[in-house]
């Protein structure tokens, strides 16, 4: 809700996602060169080539989309659509745990890890963004639920 979209996921969460996805992140559809230093996706889409307009064809996807009231539902719906079409084999997506919001409700159909303590994201200059007002959750879409639960054990409450 701050309007700040260039905030990056801490490395420990990306590492857990990488483990849940089998060790490799093929695609980050909402990325930047700075973010990809941590994510290390084989392919990224940036604001310059607009991941929302692209077809996502990848076995594994990590997504930390630009959080905003205006764009949350667009990114979440795109991820779910690509997964259900079979274009994405498995995915992990981090969002705020906004359980009362309409854009969040479709994610509740999938396994999730409600992260604890509250996630402090990373700014482009490498400093930690403090003052996050909401908790975060990682949602998993895929077939290896045991791998997801194992990767995120100890990082929060896993709901299946």
């Amino acid at each position: 809700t701050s309007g700040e979209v260039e905030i990056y996921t801490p490395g420990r969460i990306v590492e857990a996602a990488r483990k849940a996805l089998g060790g490799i992140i093929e695609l980050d559809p909402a990325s930047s060169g700075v973010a990809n230093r941590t994510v290390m996706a084989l392919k990224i889409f940036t604001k310059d080539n607009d991941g929302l307009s692209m077809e996502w064809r990848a076995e594994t996807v990590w997504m930390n989309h630009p959080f905003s009231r205006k764009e949350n539902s667009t990114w979440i719906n795109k991820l779910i659509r690509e997964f259900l079409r079979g274009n994405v084999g498995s995915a992990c997506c981090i969002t705020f745990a906004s359980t009362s919001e309409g854009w969040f409700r479709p994610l509740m159909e999938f396994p999730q890890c409600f992260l604890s303590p509250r996630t402090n994201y990373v700014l482009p200059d490498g400093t930690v963004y403090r003052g996050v007002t909401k908790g975060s959750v990682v949602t998993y879409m895929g077939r290896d639920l045991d791998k997801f639960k194992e990767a995120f054990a100890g990082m929060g409450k896993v709901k299946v």
Side-chain angles (χ1 to χ4, degrees):
T1 57
S2 71
E4 178 63 53
V5 296
E6 292 298 325
I7 59 170
Y8 309 124
T9 309
R12 68 182 184 85
I13 297 169
V14 174
E15 277 307 310
R18 189 183 330 284
K19 288 178 188 171
L21 298 171
I24 296 174
I25 296 172
E26 287 186 34
L27 175 64
D28 182 347
S31 195
S32 69
V34 173
N36 203 45
R37 290 182 203 149
T38 300
V39 176
M40 297 183 286
L42 301 179
K43 182 176 185 177
I44 65 171
F45 298 141
T46 68
K47 62 183 172 186
D48 294 330
N49 58 6
D50 185 17
L52 286 173
S53 67
M54 307 293 246
E55 188 173 81
W56 302 355
R57 291 223 178 251
E59 186 53 37
T60 57
V61 169
W62 162 258
M63 188 174 82
N64 174 351
H65 68 285
F67 294 8
S68 74
R69 289 182 183 171
K70 209 167 59 170
E71 294 190 52
N72 286 338
S73 62
T74 305
W75 284 97
I76 297 308
N77 291 336
K78 172 78 170 173
L79 175 62
I80 292 171
R81 190 169 51 251
E82 295 288 342
F83 175 72
L84 293 177
R85 285 182 179 159
N87 292 341
V88 169
S90 58
C92 284
C93 166
I94 192 166
T95 63
F96 285 134
S98 300
T99 58
S100 64
E101 300 294 330
W103 65 264
F104 186 84
R105 287 190 202 113
L107 293 173
M108 294 172 70
E109 299 299 318
F110 299 94
Q112 296 177 305
C113 178
F114 288 82
L115 300 169
S116 180
R118 188 170 290 168
T119 301
N120 289 309
Y121 292 83
V122 179
L123 296 171
D125 67 4
T127 59
V128 174
Y129 178 77
R130 302 208 185 276
V132 175
T133 60
K134 298 175 181 145
S136 296
V137 62
V138 173
T139 301
Y140 173 73
M141 297 171 195
R143 293 173 280 291
D144 199 338
L145 184 55
D146 289 337
K147 195 177 283 186
F148 173 72
K149 290 191 312 191
E150 181 181 319
F152 281 90
M155 295 188 76
K157 177 68 176 170
V158 175
K159 170 196 78 68
V160 293

